[in-house]
Amino acid sequence: MQNKAVLDYMYTILCHKDEDTAKHSSRVAAIAHTIGKKMRLYDDDMELLDEASRLHDIGKIRVDTNILNKPGKLTEEEFSEIKRHTLYGYSIVSQQDSAVANVVLSHHERYDGNGYPNGISGTNIPLSARIIAVADSLDAMASDRCYRKALPWAVCAKEIDKNAGKMYDPDVVHAFNCCAEEIKSILTC
């Protein structure tokens, strides 16, 4: 991993700037790690997954906190700004580690190609980004947000299953289902 100390420092900055995003990123990292272990990723791939999952939302430090914490529905312009966090994150991380930066950039891509920012699909999306997509969505659904309460586990798991092959890589969803109890315990810590 290139410049691990700098990547760690970036995560520390995120923790100081936005505690909620840092907690979310920590849970996403734990969930992604569990899925990666179940998928038997190589050590180098696990290291990439761990770093990228901690930093997947680093670009949100450049998004207006009034937009991030808005309790109501976002306007189209506000949602466009939120979506730019992947580009901001790529810009921040790419000078230190291009592999991590590419995962940060791609974590909102969808398996069917309808994601952002580049509309790539299937295995063109880095595997770590495909794993983070499931972990990120799960934590977002299972956590209280400024605009809604957390959804029950059963609803979250059903949503992940329902979107296998659409939003999510079916192999990642299979691994998620194989370690669902372990992941459930991460969310209740």
Side-chain angles (χ1 to χ4, degrees), residues 84-105:
R84 280 195 276 281
H85 82 277
T86 59
L87 297 167
Y88 297 150
Y90 176 83
S91 176
I92 292 166
V93 177
S94 63
Q95 296 172 13
Q96 300 305 319
D97 192 302
S98 61
V100 172
N102 283 326
V103 174
V104 169
L105 178 68

Side-chain angles (χ1 to χ4, degrees), residues 48-49 52 98-107 109 120-133 169 172:
L48 171 62
L49 177 62
S98 61
V100 172
N102 283 326
V103 174
V104 169
L105 178 68
S106 303
H107 77 276
E109 298 289 359
I120 57 177
S121 64
T123 57
N124 291 318
I125 304 165
L127 177 57
S128 290
R130 288 181 271 147
I131 294 170
I132 291 169
D169 179 335
V172 175

Side-chain angles (χ1 to χ4, degrees), residues 154-187:
V155 172
C156 299
K158 183 177 179 182
E159 191 68 18
I160 298 292
D161 284 339
K162 180 176 83 173
N163 284 290
K166 297 174 198 153
M167 292 177 71
Y168 312 119
D169 179 335
D171 293 335
V172 175
V173 173
H174 176 75
F176 160 78
N177 284 319
C178 290
C179 54
E181 287 305 311
E182 186 177 350
I183 291 170
K184 192 175 178 181
S185 71
I186 292 166
L187 294 172

